[in-house]
Amino acid sequence: MIEQCKEPFSKEDSLESLNVFVRKWFEGKYGGPTPPQRYSFKLIKENRSMLITAPTGSGKTFSAFMGILSGLMNMSMEGKLEEKVYCIYVSPLRALNNDVYKNLIGPLEEIYSGIGIDIRRITVGIRTGDTTQKERQRQVMHPPNILVTTPESLAIMLNSPRFVKSFSEVKYVVIDELHELANNKRGVHLSLSLERLADIAGLDFVRIGLGATLYPLDEAARFLVGYKGALERDCSIVDATWDKKMQFIVKSPVKDIINASDASIEKSIYAMIDKIIKTNKTTLVFTNTRSGTERVVYNLSKRFGYGEDSIAAHHGSLSREIRLGVEDMLKKGSLRCAVSSTSLELGIDIGTIDNVVQIGSPKSVSRAVQRIGRSGHSFMDVAKGEVVVTNRDDLIECAVMLDAAKKRHLDAFSTPKNALDVLAQHILGMAISREWKVSEAYNLVRQSYPYHDLSLSDFKSLLDYLSGKYVGLESRRVYGKIWYDSEKEIFRSRGGAARPIYYLNIGTIPDEVAIDVMTKDEKWIGSIQEEFMARLKPGDVFVLAGKPIMFEFSRGMKCFVTDARGMAPTIPPWISEQLPLTYDLAIEIGRFRRSMASAVKGSMGATSKAATALVKGKMKASKAAKEILDQMPIDYNSKESIVRYFAEQLLIAGHVPNDKSMLIEITEDDKEERQLAIFHSLYGRRVNDALSRIFAILIGDIKREDIGMNISDNGFILFTGEGSKIRKSEIEKAINMLNSIDADSLLRENIARTELMKRRFRHCAARSLMILRNYMGRKMSVRRQQVSAQLLLKASAELGNDFPVIKETYREILQDMMDLPTAKKVIGSMLSGDTSYIIIETKIPSPFSHNLITFGEADVIIMKDRRKRIRELHKQVLSKIRGMAYAHK
């Protein structure tokens, strides 16, 4: 049963649960337990699995390890501690593993120095991809009592005949940063490893999950502990998420963010950051892209004279040595400011951070709380953060985000379910270890939370695939890796190559390299990320080397383009890098829009009167609007901008799109001389990705022409070729057609021949061991993998959509990359009338459409071109409003 702990144990009850020597050290070092520790010490002594969610600096790691060290110390004092692994600590980050290793060795030395009796010492070892062969051999001969590792290394060790013997008495497994694993295939992979480990150990060990921002907690607990047969295992939830105090505010750099010049906005942003840096000892700045991180460091250094010893960048494209150097300077307190994209938001020990600055929206409440929570290193410190916004949509998004955090609302995570490619790896691993009955293996797999509702037919289709049943694939060098008797329903390993194939190809993170961008006559222009390439379709325009170019086709790892001078980009260069807005937060923003629009509209009065007030800068917030805004963690500039933004939208469009009403706006982009159908669908990019494709297909069929798309978090734009227009009647017809379509089939057909399918198929084929990234010690280049994938995709497609690798590719695209299930709920809500829609025609684009129209035009930190274009659009709005005011006179 999953149950939430209501009241913590007393300080004395908690400390009494510790071994006498561990307690003496702990009290001498820390005095008493923090809130999560007042639950965990006693629960661990009682051998109860638990999920602990608590902020940085709350002693999460020691919440788990003090109880575990106490148990092992008791075993040592009783003469029962042997050279076996009793505790496995798993983290998604190698750097975090190194921190934990150091943070265990030090306390153990101090504990033993105060014992005064000769007892067997608790040993700690670390096992990752960086561990030397000599150290691995030593661990086989002398297994550490506490093993610190990664999900991938654990999966490899499960099939090491010599090492796996040391797992026979595992008592505890600690999973750190659970929120980083529960929503992706690495976590799915780990969940299967835990079930295999339980089978090897022959018992249900204590599982302890640690995380900072998890919701919903009962689902996270199920992910952690899984099932025993049909029943979920017991798990106690320790929720100390909000026990640490937080102070945060949204700041608009200028009073009028829409009309201020680029120079004044940038000057104000960097002056804000500089002031924060100078008033604190150590500041951590987050951007949303790596390029943004580099620009912030460059501008701060250039404008205010910061040197390399006082400010530094930290992101995944930098070398490990540079990143470790930055982390070391932070720990020592010698670095005034570090600027990061995402790489410092997890629990790596970086010492004391006084303040966190977030530039632009981090796109989720959980991520905002996680990042701001990096400040105030100790549990009693207050975490402080400022979110600096760069446009009005950003402003509203961040205001609602921090308001949700203030109300203690987090975004829900989503675990990939029934991922067949990940399961294929584990079936091979299981087959290598021994012979299995199908029913026995199937039941074990279904004990894992992500596979609890896996169908037996899907499980058997994987056995068919892995055993080489699909003979047509042998001509493509895809051979059977297991032996499977479908009549006796047993399977086991086939041949001596199976073990090295498993060892060398395990894991879920795909190999990716830069794609060469070429002209049709083979002139090299530059390179793009493969994930960006996967999103391109013929006709898409993007910017590279400062020039707009149009994607034509790809061949292997080359992307061929033509000059698109004068055309607007349809995809921004950072779209594959920036995280999408979560659906939960999108709905919260929609609710805010609904209440705020009502409050602003109620005080506007006659249209001409409101227009006059806006033109003269005398638009005042109503009492109702003030009541809403005064409750939000935003500054004065932000409040002024929000009221004006809503008033302008109401004057131009007469409607503010929200969580209950979708606005569909047919308008014209005079710069590009094209007609646009703008769907103000505030559901986040993943949902809009699916919705936009469905509407583009339906309207394209109605018009019998290709429809272009531009997708963002706040909606999507559909457009046609020159001289064509999407009409209101065509949109209405498409909406009526929603009732009769099968959205899954429609999108599968649409995706089948795209770059997205080609690239994602390669990833799934590699995870499914169809493409071997490493065979007998020889690595296959990504270029060769992609060529092989394109040949295999054709052969696999002929086997039908139920062929496991094809089925998983579609599932990953439609459910993990997009969010088709939620998109279908939105469609259902439109058809039932729960979500209304309004179709309007505007001569000029409404204010809420400006960020959508310019979405493809620039990076969020540079934004010069984009802001210039938004100001041009806003001038049209002001001109129209002046006309309304003039008509009144």
Side-chain angles (χ1 to χ4, degrees):
M1 184 172 73
I2 308 293
E3 60 179 359
Q4 187 150 343
C5 298
K6 302 297 182 187
E7 295 291 333
F9 300 104
S10 69
K11 176 181 177 181
E12 185 55 32
D13 278 350
S14 297
L15 293 173
E16 265 191 0
S17 304
L18 301 179
N19 168 275
V20 60
F21 295 114
V22 174
R23 175 176 178 169
K24 181 182 176 183
W25 173 85
F26 181 79
E27 285 190 283
K29 189 86 171 179
Y30 298 103
T34 62
Q37 292 166 355
R38 283 181 59 189
Y39 292 96
S40 64
F41 291 175
K42 192 169 175 63
L43 291 174
I44 291 172
K45 187 178 182 181
E46 294 172 356
N47 292 321
R48 290 162 66 180
S49 292
M50 75 196 74
L51 171 67
I52 303 171
T53 173
T56 300
S58 60
K60 277 198 305 292
T61 307
F62 275 178
S63 293
F65 277 116
M66 286 299 98
I68 291 169
L69 290 178
S70 290
L72 297 182
M73 189 68 75
N74 289 337
M75 290 177 66
S76 179
M77 292 173 71
E78 294 165 8
K80 296 179 180 178
L81 192 71
E82 302 177 36
E83 279 193 333
K84 289 185 177 179
V85 177
Y86 296 102
C87 171
I88 301 174
Y89 168 92
V90 184
S91 161
L93 296 176
R94 291 182 189 178
L96 192 54
N97 282 336
N98 291 324
D99 278 347
V100 168
Y101 176 76
K102 292 173 188 173
N103 290 336
L104 281 176
I105 292 296
L108 279 171
E109 289 297 324
E110 292 172 12
I111 290 168
Y112 282 114
S113 67
I115 288 180
I117 59 173
D118 187 23
I119 59 172
R120 188 183 187 96
R121 293 198 167 206
I122 298 167
T123 56
V124 184
I126 187 166
R127 180 74 170 260
T128 69
D130 294 332
T131 305
T132 64
Q133 194 61 38
K134 182 179 178 181
E135 174 61 17
R136 293 181 191 192
Q137 289 298 324
R138 195 187 71 78
Q139 289 176 1
V140 169
M141 301 300 294
H142 305 284
N145 301 137
I146 299 174
L147 179 65
V148 179
T149 190
T150 62
E152 292 76 17
S153 292
L154 175 60
I156 290 171
M157 286 185 284
L158 290 175
N159 275 87
S160 171
R162 295 174 67 193
F163 198 92
V164 80
K165 294 174 184 175
S166 63
F167 288 161
S168 61
E169 292 191 39
V170 169
K171 293 170 66 68
Y172 314 97
V173 174
V174 181
I175 311 296
D176 206 350
E177 303 291 352
L178 192 71
H179 52 282
E180 275 298 303
L181 291 167
N183 64 356
N184 58 50
K185 286 189 174 182
R186 280 189 87 192
V188 172
H189 200 286
L190 175 60
S191 73
L192 285 172
S193 290
L194 294 182
E195 296 310 325
R196 291 178 58 197
L197 179 63
D199 178 71
I200 290 165
L203 51 83
D204 275 341
F205 40 76
V206 174
R207 306 187 193 204
I208 304 168
L210 308 175
T213 48
L214 280 165
Y215 177 81
L217 291 174
D218 55 345
E219 290 299 299
R222 289 186 186 95
F223 173 85
L224 172 67
V225 299
Y227 294 80
K228 191 70 174 177
L231 300 175
E232 61 192 24
R233 293 189 178 99
D234 293 340
C235 185
S236 299
I237 296 173
V238 176
D239 184 8
T241 307
W242 306 102
D243 283 12
K244 185 176 181 179
K245 291 181 180 178
M246 301 185 85
Q247 290 178 2
F248 40 66
I249 190 169
V250 175
K251 289 187 173 180
S252 175
V254 292
K255 185 175 180 181
D256 188 354
I257 200 170
I258 185 68
N259 290 313
S261 68
D262 296 331
S264 65
I265 291 174
E266 286 196 1
K267 182 180 178 181
S268 182
I269 287 174
Y270 288 114
M272 268 185 180
I273 299 170
D274 175 58
K275 184 178 179 182
I276 293 167
I277 294 170
K278 286 188 166 70
T279 53
N280 291 282
K281 185 180 178 184
T282 310
T283 299
L284 180 56
V285 178
F286 283 106
T287 67
N288 290 328
T289 64
R290 295 171 185 181
S291 56
T293 292
E294 294 291 350
R295 286 192 186 94
V296 170
V297 171
Y298 173 78
N299 272 287
L300 286 172
S301 301
K302 182 182 176 183
R303 290 167 188 261
F304 305 105
Y306 290 106
E308 292 180 4
D309 58 341
S310 57
I311 190 169
H314 189 290
H315 56 73
S317 295
L318 297 171
S319 71
R320 184 169 179 267
E321 289 73 21
I322 291 174
R323 294 199 307 273
L324 288 174
V326 173
E327 291 163 25
D328 189 53
M329 283 193 287
L330 283 169
K331 286 176 197 173
K332 291 176 180 175
S334 62
L335 195 65
R336 293 295 302 274
C337 177
V339 187
S340 174
S341 50
T342 60
S343 54
L344 285 178
E345 75 178 33
L346 295 184
I348 303 169
D349 183 10
I350 51 174
T352 300
I353 302 295
D354 298 311
N355 205 304
V356 168
V357 178
Q358 167 70 45
I359 302 178
S361 172
K363 296 296 176 182
S364 89
V365 182
S366 300
R367 195 170 299 111
V369 171
Q370 175 82 9
R371 290 181 175 185
I372 293 169
R374 296 296 275 154
S375 65
H377 191 63
S378 77
F379 188 70
M380 299 306 293
D381 291 340
V382 177
K384 297 178 181 178
E386 280 104 344
V387 179
V388 181
V389 296
T390 55
N391 63 64
R392 297 193 292 185
D393 282 346
D394 224 24
L395 166 57
I396 292 171
E397 189 173 300
C398 292
V400 175
M401 181 187 305
L402 293 193
D403 190 52
K406 192 174 78 169
K407 294 171 181 173
R408 302 188 171 189
H409 297 162
L410 294 174
D411 310 284
F413 72 91
S414 177
T415 301
K417 299 289 182 64
N418 303 322
L420 298 179
D421 51 356
V422 173
L423 182 54
Q425 291 185 22
H426 277 283
I427 288 176
L428 177 59
M430 292 164 73
I432 292 166
S433 65
R434 62 181 174 89
E435 184 174 282
W436 291 79
K437 291 180 180 178
V438 170
S439 59
E440 180 189 15
Y442 175 62
N443 289 336
L444 182 146
V445 166
R446 289 182 69 245
Q447 290 184 169
S448 160
Y449 169 76
Y451 294 95
H452 190 58
D453 60 354
L454 177 74
S455 69
L456 183 59
S457 60
D458 276 348
F459 187 77
K460 287 184 175 179
S461 74
L462 266 177
L463 293 176
D464 286 337
Y465 153 65
L466 287 169
S467 63
K469 177 184 174 183
Y470 298 97
V471 179
L473 292 176
E474 289 197 353
S475 62
R476 304 293 185 189
R477 296 186 177 181
V478 179
Y479 305 107
K481 297 166 185 67
I482 66 170
W483 176 85
Y484 169 43
D485 187 327
S486 58
E487 290 186 7
K488 293 182 179 178
E489 295 213 323
I490 54 176
F491 67 93
R492 62 175 181 267
S493 179
R494 175 196 285 186
R499 190 178 297 276
I501 285 173
Y502 176 82
Y503 285 164
L504 295 172
N505 293 277
I506 205 157
T508 60
I509 301 171
D511 294 334
E512 292 202 6
V513 294
I515 305 287
D516 289 328
V517 179
M518 321 282 289
T519 62
K520 284 186 176 179
D521 56 355
E522 299 271 342
K523 288 182 180 176
W524 186 78
I525 298 174
S527 59
I528 55 175
Q529 290 176 302
E530 189 177 7
E531 182 65 20
F532 179 79
M533 173 73 207
R535 294 177 179 274
L536 295 177
K537 58 188 183 302
D540 272 341
V541 175
F542 61 100
V543 176
L544 186 65
K547 297 176 182 176
I549 49 179
M550 182 184 291
F551 172 63
E552 298 289 346
F553 63 92
S554 73
R555 189 181 300 135
M557 303 306 281
K558 291 182 179 179
C559 163
F560 291 89
V561 298
T562 52
D563 191 335
R565 205 167 304 166
M567 296 179 68
T570 58
I571 294 188
W574 41 264
I575 193 167
S576 62
E577 194 179 344
Q578 193 177 76
L579 297 162
L581 180 72
T582 62
Y583 175 73
D584 289 353
L585 180 54
I587 293 301
E588 284 299 314
I589 296 167
R591 288 196 187 105
F592 169 77
R593 281 185 178 185
R594 182 154 48 96
S595 60
M596 194 65 197
S598 177
V600 172
K601 192 173 186 178
S603 65
M604 283 175 62
T607 299
S608 54
K609 183 180 176 183
T612 302
L614 259 179
V615 169
K616 292 183 176 181
K618 294 181 178 180
M619 173 63 70
K620 298 295 182 184
S622 66
K623 182 180 178 183
K626 281 182 179 178
E627 285 177 357
I628 294 169
L629 295 173
D630 286 347
Q631 296 298 312
M632 305 186 83
I634 56 179
D635 66 0
Y636 177 79
N637 286 349
S638 300
K639 294 175 184 178
E640 292 283 296
S641 290
I642 288 173
V643 171
R644 187 178 177 91
Y645 193 22
F646 275 76
E648 288 176 1
Q649 176 68 18
L650 287 165
L651 283 170
I652 297 297
H655 185 74
V656 170
N658 56 59
D659 61 315
K660 294 292 184 181
S661 179
M662 184 189 296
L663 175 64
I664 304 170
E665 179 180 357
I666 299 170
T667 190
E668 185 176 334
D669 181 358
D670 62 342
K671 181 184 177 185
E672 301 302 322
E673 296 183 352
R674 58 180 179 174
Q675 300 290 327
L676 306 174
I678 303 174
F679 288 68
H680 295 265
S681 53
L682 179 51
Y683 301 115
R685 197 164 72 223
R686 290 177 60 226
V687 175
N688 284 335
D689 200 340
L691 283 177
S692 63
R693 290 171 191 265
I694 291 169
F695 274 101
I697 294 165
L698 296 179
I699 293 172
D701 287 346
I702 292 166
K703 296 185 71 64
R704 297 190 179 182
E705 61 178 289
D706 290 335
I707 304 294
M709 295 182 299
N710 191 347
I711 306 155
S712 85
D713 288 314
N714 290 2
F716 57 91
I717 297 177
L718 302 183
F719 52 89
T720 54
E722 192 174 339
S724 181
K725 177 183 179 180
I726 298 173
R727 303 183 185 280
K728 180 178 179 180
S729 59
E730 293 165 339
I731 295 172
E732 288 173 336
K733 187 175 181 181
I735 292 172
N736 290 331
M737 291 169 68
L738 292 173
N739 213 7
S740 58
I741 64 162
D742 178 346
D744 291 81
S745 300
L746 194 72
L747 286 182
R748 285 170 192 266
E749 282 180 38
N750 174 256
I751 290 165
R753 294 171 295 281
T754 62
E755 286 298 320
L756 186 59
M757 186 69 184
K758 291 179 191 175
R759 307 285 159 182
R760 292 283 178 153
F761 175 80
R762 191 196 87 225
H763 297 171
C764 292
R767 290 192 203 100
S768 303
L769 310 173
M770 178 181 257
I771 295 172
L772 300 180
R773 293 175 288 179
N774 196 320
Y775 183 68
M776 305 305 282
R778 295 193 302 274
K779 291 198 73 171
M780 181 188 286
S781 71
V782 180
R783 294 176 188 276
R784 281 190 60 203
Q785 286 180 41
Q786 187 60 34
V787 171
S788 179
Q790 286 176 289
L791 295 171
L792 285 169
L793 175 56
K794 186 176 180 182
S796 298
E798 292 171 0
L799 297 172
N801 286 343
D802 282 334
F803 177 65
V805 187
I806 292 288
K807 187 171 186 174
E808 176 54 26
T809 304
Y810 280 123
R811 191 211 62 77
E812 182 178 291
I813 292 171
L814 297 178
Q815 295 182 27
D816 297 350
M817 193 200 95
M818 299 180 197
D819 186 356
L820 179 58
T822 303
K824 287 161 76 172
K825 289 178 183 176
V826 171
I827 290 170
S829 183
M830 289 179 70
L831 294 173
S832 70
D834 288 344
T835 298
S836 64
Y837 64 90
I838 299 169
I839 304 175
I840 64 170
E841 294 193 42
T842 55
K843 290 184 179 179
I844 61 168
S846 72
F848 272 41
S849 71
H850 295 178
N851 276 306
L852 282 164
I853 291 171
T854 61
F855 183 66
E857 295 193 15
D859 187 288
V860 73
I861 298 298
I862 301 179
M863 279 192 69
K864 285 186 179 178
D865 293 339
R866 190 178 183 197
R867 282 202 297 260
K868 181 181 177 184
R869 179 74 181 114
I870 287 174
R871 278 202 304 274
E872 289 171 358
L873 291 167
H874 189 249
K875 282 178 183 176
Q876 296 177 19
V877 167
L878 291 180
S879 178
K880 176 91 184 251
I881 291 173
R882 284 193 193 97
M884 293 175 182
Y886 182 77
H888 172 60
K889 292 180 180 178

